[in-house]
Amino acid sequence: VRKLLLYLLPALVIAASFVVAGCGKGGGDSKSIKIGLAGVLTGGDGQIGASMLNGSQIAIDEWNAKGGVLGKKIESVSLDDEGNPQKAVSVAQSLIDAGVVAVIGHFNSGCTIPASRLYNDAKILEISPGSTNPQYTEQGFPNAFRICGRDDQQGAVIADFLHDTKKFDKIAILDDKTTYGEGLATVVKNAFEAKGGKVVVFQGVGKDDLDFRANIAVVQGSGAQALVWGGMYKGGGPLCVQMRQAGLNIPFVSDDGCQDQAFVNTVGGTAPDVYVSFGKDYTSQPAAQAFVQKYKDTFHRDVGSYSVYGYDAAQVILTAMDKAQSTDADKVAAVLKSQPFDTIQGQIEFDAKGDLKVADYVIWTIKDGKLQELSPSP
Amino acid sequence: VTTLVDILINGISRGAMYALVALGYTMVYGVLGMINFAHGEIFMIGMFACVYAIGFFSVLWGNQVVVNLVLGILVAMIFSAAYGYANERIAYRRLRKAHVLAPLTSAIGISTFLQYFIFLTVSRDAVNFPRFYSDFLTGHHLSLGPVQVTYLQITILGLTLVIMSGLFYLINRTRLGIALRATAQDQLMASLVGIPVNKIIAFTFILGSALAAIAGVMFSMYNNVLVFDSGYRVGLKAFTAAILGGIGNVPGAVLGAMIIGLTEALTTLQFGSEWDDVTTFAVLMLVLLLRPRGLLGERVADKV
């Protein structure tokens, strides 16, 4: 019995300390408004997520410099979900416990979707700058938004490009088996087949696999005219390099998950026949230059592809809070859905589901050491 | 047919890399009867050491491909060996006489510790292996009819075979090998006849870790990218290979690794690579059901 007590006592102490800590958190600090920033900040895909949330941070700093929102300072709580769905759920819980009124994030669709259920139950506004899987806004959550396109739009653009522009009728598709990658790969497959094309290889690879030579040999033997990668650059980079090393010189086509300088660094700045779908190039627009410069001054590196989206997401919800004169998720969501907003992306509007009314996917390619629009819009 | 041959070559190359890691698992088990779960992380540390060393040398005296690469591999071996030795000295030596679960758990702890240590102090993001140094191996082919084999694949396979033969010779034909085998059989008796048991065990860890470093360099050249958690997956596969071939047995580890590499490659051809793990572990279970000690296993697996 004494031994049992010896174990029980520390257990009780620990349990008690949690209860105390929990009470402390519940109280909340009414002097500031807390906004959660969540996304993949580390690991093979860390760079794209970090540059997205850095963009949001700049918007928050700008608002704080103007005196905050609703007369209060904005405090950002930044957490890393490592691109891991399980971790994302616990990050979501931590943010809710910390008393955030809104969350900007997550990045990976596989993280955003499970986390959005927790935010919905807690009546917290969520806006994702980078999750493109349609399912996220199809769940019917009234307070879930995204400020980027959807994969059913993105996949159609990829299929159009392959079938109509390149005149291909046989393609191979590989994906990374994540919610995002597999979802996009399926959309491309369906869209391409609807156009009368044939998908000769359709396979998933292990999420952490980095050796794709066996997959490449299969694609090589299938006579495909292009290889589509549905997934992030962590796998896409090595896949693209390895297929060139194996002498497979068909076009490599991927998605917004490969839209990062880290991808270019892996495949090389002169890699030919690499195409990536993504929104229009806002970073080079005149409207973005002040932001681009500020980003460089603050973080001492160039903006990432999703930095503009992260910045816009923060701008839009803070503006909406200001207009609603409240941080209540329902009221802010009502404002978001009722009127257009001016952002670096131009004037944007949300539909009833929380998606953008207009998505603007275009095809990018590697030119002069970086990703650029294939046919720049005027 | 071309595809099939291609697939087989890729499977063998992958298997050869697993084999280099599996040798470390099998040697430590052979001598100590414990599974060193941190071995995958030693492999990962080798990768990072090599890439950073190459960067350092190229700043020091320019891009001398062969010189820097060889020195990079040496640095990686030294780093990995140092970490391997430190693991043994800090985490395992005092637990040698403890219950068998104690060093096992300690090893899992070290594995996680090293992963996050590298993650926090070295790189949170993926690092690219400098293409300038791998291109002359990955970019050149040897054509065998319609099939092309890269120099790197030949190097990997050659290294594995040479190292396996070297180890086999070392263990079975040298005085050091006799001391190793004596330590494996009975540490107390070995020390009574004057064998420095602690040194022999430390030597095993150092040798296994240096081999893991070579595997790490090959692996990162082959896959172009290294991440702090690369060691975990490869470690798991290599450990499986060592069990499959009969843990404690050197040619067994290589055989097991080849079988796993080929299984993975053929699965990709037949069912798609998402079935990799299913078929690999199905093969493992099947083999263990028929031969509980692994394919070439000699000793009764009574230690773990």
Side-chain angles (χ1 to χ4, degrees):
Chain A
V1 177
R2 272 182 67 183
K3 220 173 178 182
L4 191 71
L5 269 179
L6 214 66
Y7 287 111
L8 265 179
L9 212 64
L12 277 175
V13 171
I14 291 168
S17 67
F18 272 114
V19 173
V20 172
C23 293
K25 274 175 190 164
D29 176 8
S30 58
K31 290 210 177 67
S32 65
I33 288 176
K34 285 186 181 165
I35 305 249
L37 303 180
V40 53
L41 300 179
T42 52
D45 296 323
Q47 193 168 315
I48 197 168
S51 65
M52 172 183 95
L53 294 182
N54 284 346
S56 310
Q57 187 61 50
I58 287 184
I60 291 173
D61 291 346
E62 284 179 6
W63 276 77
N64 274 336
K66 287 189 294 184
V69 70
L70 307 177
K72 292 176 185 170
K73 285 279 175 203
I74 307 152
E75 192 186 324
S76 59
V77 184
S78 179
L79 289 178
D80 177 15
D81 67 22
E82 296 166 19
N84 174 348
Q86 281 149 24
K87 179 86 195 212
V89 170
S90 70
V91 160
Q93 194 56 54
S94 308
L95 288 175
I96 294 168
D97 293 344
V100 301
V101 297
V103 173
I104 300 170
H106 301 207
F107 180 73
N108 309 70
S109 297
C111 295
T112 309
I113 293 168
S116 65
R117 279 175 213 138
L118 276 77
Y119 298 133
N120 183 55
D121 291 345
K123 292 246 171 294
I124 289 175
L125 191 84
E126 181 184 14
I127 181 162
S128 172
S131 294
T132 48
N133 189 295
Q135 204 196 328
Y136 166 51
T137 46
E138 293 291 341
Q139 301 171 105
F141 297 156
N143 304 328
F145 292 82
R146 77 174 109 215
I147 195 157
C148 55
R150 289 162 51 119
D151 284 339
D152 35 10
Q153 298 157 334
Q154 176 166 218
V157 169
I158 294 177
D160 280 351
F161 172 70
L162 290 168
H163 191 270
D164 302 344
T165 312
K166 288 285 184 182
K167 311 278 180 217
F168 292 155
D169 51 12
K170 276 163 80 181
I171 58 165
I173 303 178
L174 298 176
D175 70 70
D176 64 2
K177 277 205 304 189
T178 59
T179 307
Y180 162 67
E182 195 170 12
L184 183 74
T186 312
V187 172
V188 174
K189 177 173 186 276
N190 294 341
F192 194 74
E193 283 173 347
K195 285 178 167 292
K198 262 182 77 179
V199 177
V200 284
V201 178
F202 187 76
Q203 284 190 358
V205 304
K207 189 170 170 284
D208 296 318
D209 255 348
L210 291 174
D211 175 14
F212 303 105
R213 291 201 171 57
N215 305 86
I216 290 165
V218 171
V219 173
Q220 222 157 6
S222 72
Q225 293 160 302
L227 172 60
V228 178
W229 167 249
M232 298 293 297
Y233 63 84
K234 179 185 177 185
L239 171 63
C240 184
V241 173
Q242 288 169 22
M243 72 185 260
R244 298 297 186 238
Q245 286 171 353
L248 182 60
N249 289 318
I250 59 177
F252 175 88
V253 184
S254 189
D255 44 41
D256 64 306
C258 286
Q259 174 70 15
D260 195 279
Q261 191 60 30
F263 172 72
V264 181
N265 293 344
T266 303
V267 302
T270 54
D273 255 355
V274 174
Y275 305 97
V276 167
S277 61
F278 194 58
K280 283 195 187 121
D281 181 6
Y282 298 113
T283 312
S284 62
Q285 301 285 323
Q289 292 321 303
F291 167 71
V292 169
Q293 192 55 44
K294 198 175 271 176
Y295 189 100
K296 212 170 192 170
D297 295 342
T298 315
F299 300 106
H300 305 292
R301 58 199 303 178
D302 286 330
V303 288
S305 47
Y306 269 108
S307 304
V308 164
Y309 294 80
Y311 178 82
D312 281 352
Q315 283 291 2
V316 163
I317 53 167
L318 291 171
T319 310
M321 279 177 191
D322 194 41
K323 283 186 175 157
Q325 281 302 306
S326 165
T327 57
D328 181 76
D330 291 334
K331 288 181 188 155
V332 179
V335 172
L336 281 173
K337 286 176 186 174
S338 66
Q339 51 189 281
F341 291 85
D342 283 318
T343 63
I344 297 182
Q345 295 184 49
Q347 200 180 58
I348 57 164
E349 275 183 89
F350 294 100
D351 64 13
K353 285 177 187 163
D355 292 323
L356 287 181
K357 279 192 180 161
V358 184
D360 54 354
Y361 282 107
V362 292
I363 299 292
W364 295 49
T365 190
I366 296 179
K367 231 186 283 174
D368 310 325
K370 57 183 184 192
L371 282 157
Q372 300 185 15
E373 279 184 47
L374 189 57
S375 42
S377 38
Chain B
V1 181
T2 315
T3 310
L4 182 68
V5 178
D6 250 356
I7 288 273
L8 292 179
I9 290 171
N10 293 323
I12 290 172
S13 320
R14 202 195 276 201
M17 278 183 297
Y18 288 154
L20 285 174
V21 185
L23 287 172
Y25 278 105
T26 229
M27 276 170 54
V28 167
Y29 185 88
V31 172
L32 273 183
M34 75 163 272
I35 312 278
N36 178 16
F37 274 114
H39 194 61
E41 273 57 52
I42 299 292
F43 160 86
M44 177 267 297
I45 284 170
M47 292 166 132
F48 276 96
C50 177
V51 169
Y52 278 79
I54 286 179
F56 180 70
F57 292 134
S58 66
V59 170
L60 224 53
W61 54 67
N63 289 322
Q64 307 286 335
V65 175
V66 179
V67 179
N68 288 5
L69 195 59
V70 170
L71 284 177
I73 293 174
L74 273 178
V75 169
M77 288 168 72
I78 293 168
F79 257 80
S80 287
Y83 272 93
Y85 174 72
N87 281 355
E88 195 273 327
R89 191 70 192 82
I90 296 167
Y92 307 143
R93 186 173 290 185
R94 290 182 63 90
L95 297 176
R96 216 177 278 157
K97 294 199 173 60
H99 183 269
V100 67
L101 281 179
L104 202 70
T105 316
S106 183
I108 294 172
I110 286 280
S111 159
T112 312
F113 171 83
L114 286 179
Q115 231 181 72
Y116 284 92
F117 177 69
I118 297 294
F119 168 79
L120 291 170
T121 59
V122 180
S123 175
R124 291 164 183 243
D125 297 331
V127 173
N128 295 309
F129 192 92
R131 295 269 292 285
F132 185 76
Y133 290 94
S134 57
D135 270 353
F136 76 104
L137 283 175
T138 52
H140 293 86
H141 306 274
L142 199 69
S143 294
L144 305 167
V147 190
Q148 294 183 322
V149 190
T150 63
Y151 283 6
L152 184 61
Q153 288 174 321
I154 297 171
T155 312
I156 290 170
L157 192 60
L159 265 178
T160 306
L161 292 178
V162 167
I163 288 173
M164 181 190 78
S165 324
L167 274 183
F168 197 73
Y169 178 81
L170 175 85
I171 291 170
N172 293 307
R173 296 276 184 278
T174 62
R175 284 180 67 85
L176 190 58
I178 296 174
L180 266 170
R181 280 180 291 150
T183 310
Q185 277 177 8
D186 193 326
Q187 288 178 24
L188 182 63
M189 282 306 288
S191 66
L192 286 178
V193 296
I195 293 171
V197 169
N198 277 339
K199 277 188 188 154
I200 292 291
I201 292 174
F203 170 77
T204 313
F205 272 89
I206 288 173
L207 187 59
S209 303
L211 295 186
I214 298 179
V217 175
M218 294 299 138
F219 189 84
S220 51
M221 279 172 105
Y222 195 64
N223 290 349
N224 314 100
V225 168
L226 39 151
V227 199
F228 69 94
D229 60 0
S230 309
Y232 172 76
R233 204 180 147 77
V234 177
L236 184 68
K237 286 285 163 67
F239 167 64
T240 312
I243 301 267
L244 187 65
I247 193 150
N249 183 301
V250 168
V254 176
L255 179 68
M258 290 296 174
I259 290 177
I260 288 190
L262 284 172
T263 310
E264 286 186 349
L266 289 172
T267 308
T268 305
L269 178 65
Q270 206 56 43
F271 308 108
S273 51
E274 58 260 56
W275 292 90
D276 263 12
D277 290 348
V278 179
T279 46
T280 305
F281 288 98
V283 167
L284 174 73
M285 281 185 284
L286 202 68
V287 168
L288 287 185
L289 283 177
L290 297 174
R291 287 188 65 92
R293 295 168 214 171
L295 288 171
L296 303 181
E298 295 145 6
R299 292 190 290 157
V300 183
D302 59 348
K303 287 189 168 168
V304 160

